[in-house]
Amino acid sequence: IDGELVINDSTVTGEWQFNNESVQQLEGTVRGQEVFLNMNPRVVDNNLFLRGTMQGRTIRGTWSQVGFPGVMAEGTFVAERK
């Protein structure tokens, strides 16, 4: 996954792309070193959420795929600045 984050005070905006598919928008928040990202904020069902901690040029944390039934899948991620 490739993407871009823009952090403005406590608000995060940006976009991401997986395997050269269409570009998706993202939104989120930052509190101190903690980051929350909604990878598809315009979707009501089948959302992908990332929660992590910024450590220098890296964000490490957990992701969860959430739908109407609840959490459908989850795991860990590492995002590094290029």
Side-chain angles (χ1 to χ4, degrees):
I1 295 178
D2 288 314
E4 178 180 296
L5 299 177
V6 177
I7 301 173
N8 185 8
D9 295 322
S10 63
T11 303
V12 180
T13 57
E15 55 188 35
W16 62 281
Q17 186 176 31
F18 180 70
N19 287 339
N20 294 321
E21 293 180 9
S22 63
V23 174
Q24 303 293 318
Q25 301 298 309
L26 65 85
E27 295 177 356
T29 58
V30 174
R31 286 195 179 138
Q33 300 301 325
E34 300 299 312
V35 179
F36 170 78
L37 300 175
N38 182 345
M39 301 299 284
N40 46 355
R42 292 170 181 81
V43 176
V44 175
D45 187 26
N46 197 23
N47 290 63
L48 181 62
F49 299 115
L50 280 66
R51 292 182 188 278
T53 303
M54 290 189 291
Q55 301 166 335
R57 300 172 61 89
T58 304
I59 301 173
R60 297 178 191 276
T62 59
W63 63 267
S64 56
Q65 180 185 10
V66 179
F68 288 128
V71 176
M72 299 183 293
E74 56 191 347
T76 60
F77 76 92
V78 175
E80 297 179 353
R81 185 175 182 180
K82 291 184 179 182

